[in-house]
Amino acid sequence: MKFSKVCAVLASALCVSAQDSTGASAGTGTSTASGASSTGSSSGNGTLPAIEIKGNAFFDSSSGERFYIRGVDYQPGGSSNLTDPLGDETVCSRDIPYFKELGLNTIRVYTIDNSLDHTACMKLLDEAGIYLILDLNTPGASISRYRPECSYNADYLQSVFATVDEFAKFDNTLGFFAGNEVINSENTTNTAVYVKATVRDIKKYLKARNYRKVPVGYSAADVSSNRLLAAEYFNCGDDADARIDMFGVNDYSWCGSSSFQVSGYAQKMQLYKNYSIPIFLSEYGCNKVPGSRPFTEVTAIYSDLMSSVFSGGLVYEYSQEDNKYGLVQIDGDSVTELQDYKNLKAEFQKVQNPQGDGGYSENNKYSDCPAYEKGIWESNSTLPSMPDAASAYFKSGAGSPLGTGVITQEMCDKEDDDDSSSSSVTATATSTSKSASASSHSSSASGSASHSGSASSTSSTSKSKGIAGSVEAPLAYGIMAFFSFLI
């Protein structure tokens, strides 16, 4: 698609100066987030050892110790002011001391501007002992739930690959998410085949560009009707490149002073007990409680009750936004610790990681693919081929990153696709993150599928509090599609 057409969709305010413009077996092998890039950017500039995967667990590649994620989801500004917190050193340097005070070792960021330089913030995170899990999608470049076949195109992959180019060089990049809650209901399972194709393409791109083997995963909604089907699908098949390396679950089923049994955690341990790759909670922290959240689930998450299957989790979320899940209140350069922050800090301080390897499993086999069934699971095991035009990125790289202002969801016209893909490798554009952020909204940003005291999440539709969901409207709606990203 011609870039001028994208500009027409976003309006001229969002399009400033746009001219000229690829694993080891997940079931039995070892996937390592270490190494160096000779074709792409160099690696190994930090002091943190890379995190590697053995079986269904993470390990410190230097000490060999089991690694448990103790983290938060981090996107200050939320849906009303979407900005890149790792592209501004004043922002990340303001918040990193609070991460350290909490005792964190990982943060998750949902959206970044790949046209910015992230070296300074990644170095500060490294010095603080903190890893990054990064979602590779943006509000405009993601798999659409309405027309996924159109949203999977060469221009979309250019955006994804350009973000890989920016972050694969940092050893404290723990992993990438290829999607967040793209399946968020009973009737969106048809999108999975395109997300899985994206996983395959990312892993092949990492190989082709000689980058280190950064784990690639998926962050899933806790939808009762297909939670297991999704986990199995993304980890099935003989093609190791098409299987995810790690699986995140957005789970809000433990509310208040619940318990391992009442919350449904015990049932989920049984559900995933034979899973061959690491699972962790990519979002947790139910706020359907009076007053502040006690975070009593921390005791269970970092215990022998769960360590044989789960590898920690990420609390939603760092900053207080409209949905009231924040640990701190931010006002300019000022950060105020809320009671949730104090409660979480106290829980983390009380809990030590399990001894030894935590009972992990190294030789579980990857999953069997769920059968296609209309109305139940509508993705088959035959993935779409990567768009032909995207093959140029494997040889020459993704080219200049275009930031967050590009919408790629509805590029179904072959002529437009061919036109765009031939030019996007050499495209240049001024970052549009600031102008785009004012109008960026996630389709999965609001609501919680959890209820206090419930045994588990049984809602047929789960709504992530994160902002990396997919845009759900056709091109005809233009800006409305962009706004829907954070709704």
Side-chain angles (χ1 to χ4, degrees):
M1 182 175 184
K2 291 182 177 67
F3 195 82
S4 60
K5 196 169 186 179
V6 176
C7 291
V9 174
L10 285 176
S12 60
L14 295 182
C15 299
V16 183
S17 176
Q19 304 173 18
D20 295 333
S21 321
T22 153
S25 166
T28 59
T30 299
S31 176
T32 309
S34 62
S37 166
S38 57
T39 306
S41 302
S42 62
S43 176
N45 295 323
T47 59
L48 281 178
I51 299 302
E52 68 180 7
I53 291 173
K54 295 180 181 179
N56 72 342
F58 296 111
F59 288 84
D60 182 308
S61 62
S62 178
S63 69
E65 294 180 355
R66 176 84 181 267
F67 181 86
Y68 296 88
I69 294 170
R70 291 194 181 215
V72 298
D73 299 310
Y74 177 54
Q75 197 84 42
S79 61
S80 62
N81 184 25
L82 180 59
T83 55
D84 179 354
L86 301 183
D88 186 340
E89 186 175 0
T90 62
V91 172
C92 67
S93 61
R94 175 197 65 198
D95 297 326
I96 288 174
Y98 292 91
F99 298 162
K100 292 179 65 176
E101 184 69 18
L102 270 179
L104 304 185
N105 62 19
T106 309
I107 60 170
R108 174 189 182 181
V109 174
Y110 294 92
T111 298
I112 59 88
D113 182 337
N114 60 19
S115 68
L116 300 180
D117 184 358
H118 300 85
T119 304
C121 284
M122 291 301 289
K123 183 176 186 295
L124 290 173
L125 286 171
D126 180 89
E127 292 170 349
I130 296 172
Y131 293 87
L132 170 69
I133 295 176
L134 178 65
D135 290 66
L136 294 175
N137 293 293
T138 71
S142 56
I143 298 298
S144 166
R145 297 190 189 104
Y146 284 147
R147 299 187 71 188
E149 73 283 359
C150 294
S151 59
Y152 175 67
N153 55 65
D155 296 271
Y156 166 61
L157 291 176
Q158 192 277 339
S159 177
V160 169
F161 293 164
T163 303
V164 170
D165 287 341
E166 174 67 5
F167 284 89
K169 60 191 175 186
F170 303 114
D171 278 348
N172 59 328
T173 299
L174 192 157
F176 295 130
F177 276 144
N180 176 66
E181 296 201 351
V182 185
I183 305 166
N184 72 337
S185 64
E186 295 176 349
N187 61 359
T188 50
T189 62
N190 64 308
T191 61
V193 67
Y194 298 98
V195 177
K196 190 165 182 174
T198 303
V199 170
R200 173 202 63 201
D201 299 343
I202 295 167
K203 293 174 73 170
K204 286 183 177 294
Y205 184 77
L206 286 165
K207 288 181 179 179
R209 303 303 299 155
N210 199 27
Y211 285 125
R212 63 188 183 86
K213 195 187 299 181
V214 182
V216 180
Y218 176 72
S219 178
D222 188 37
V223 182
S224 59
S225 62
N226 55 48
R227 61 167 70 104
L228 182 59
L229 294 172
E232 292 174 338
Y233 181 77
F234 288 114
N235 185 40
C236 78
D238 294 332
D239 183 359
D241 286 329
R243 298 197 302 266
I244 56 173
D245 302 310
M246 60 184 190
F247 189 63
V249 181
N250 297 338
D251 189 309
Y252 294 82
S253 57
W254 186 306
C255 288
S257 298
S258 189
S259 70
F260 183 64
Q261 292 292 337
V262 173
S263 67
Y265 276 26
Q267 293 94 316
K268 287 165 187 173
M269 280 291 297
Q270 288 299 310
L271 192 71
Y272 301 122
K273 65 180 180 180
N274 295 318
Y275 210 52
S276 66
I277 59 175
I279 302 182
F280 57 96
L281 300 173
S282 42
E283 294 178 9
Y284 75 93
C286 169
N287 71 351
K288 305 301 182 183
V289 296
S292 60
R293 294 178 287 179
F295 292 111
T296 54
E297 63 264 52
V298 166
T299 301
I301 294 170
Y302 302 97
S303 75
D304 292 331
L305 288 172
M306 297 184 67
S307 62
S308 62
V309 174
F310 284 83
S311 292
L314 298 141
V315 171
Y316 190 84
E317 66 177 319
Y318 175 69
S319 57
Q320 184 77 308
E321 309 298 342
D322 292 342
N323 53 14
K324 305 301 182 184
Y325 280 86
L327 300 175
V328 303
Q329 183 72 53
I330 298 174
D331 183 8
D333 294 332
S334 174
V335 178
T336 302
E337 299 173 5
L338 302 178
Q339 190 60 45
D340 277 17
Y341 180 100
K342 298 172 183 177
N343 292 348
L344 180 61
K345 178 182 175 181
E347 290 300 314
F348 276 154
Q349 288 178 339
K350 289 192 301 186
V351 176
Q352 300 296 315
N353 291 335
Q355 295 293 313
D357 62 20
Y360 90 108
S361 298
E362 188 170 6
N363 297 310
N364 288 345
K365 188 181 183 298
Y366 56 81
S367 305
D368 293 327
C369 292
Y372 181 99
E373 184 176 356
K374 185 70 175 177
I376 303 297
W377 186 258
E378 298 186 350
S379 281
N380 58 42
S381 56
T382 302
L383 305 182
S385 299
M386 186 181 72
D388 290 340
S391 62
Y393 308 142
F394 281 39
K395 181 179 180 180
S396 304
S400 297
L402 301 179
T404 59
V406 178
I407 290 180
T408 65
Q409 278 86 358
E410 294 295 323
M411 296 182 177
C412 279
D413 186 272
K414 188 177 188 300
E415 180 180 350
D416 281 348
D417 282 350
D418 291 343
D419 218 15
S420 172
S421 57
S422 64
S423 63
S424 58
V425 173
T426 57
T428 60
T430 299
S431 168
T432 59
S433 63
K434 292 185 179 179
S435 57
S437 65
S439 60
S440 303
H441 291 271
S442 170
S443 61
S444 58
S446 61
S448 172
S450 309
H451 300 277
S452 180
S454 64
S456 65
S457 172
T458 57
S459 171
S460 62
T461 302
S462 175
K463 296 182 179 179
S464 167
K465 273 59 66 187
I467 59 176
S470 60
V471 174
E472 297 187 43
L475 184 61
Y477 291 100
I479 300 299
M480 290 175 61
F482 202 66
F483 271 82
S484 75
F485 189 88
L486 293 180
I487 294 174

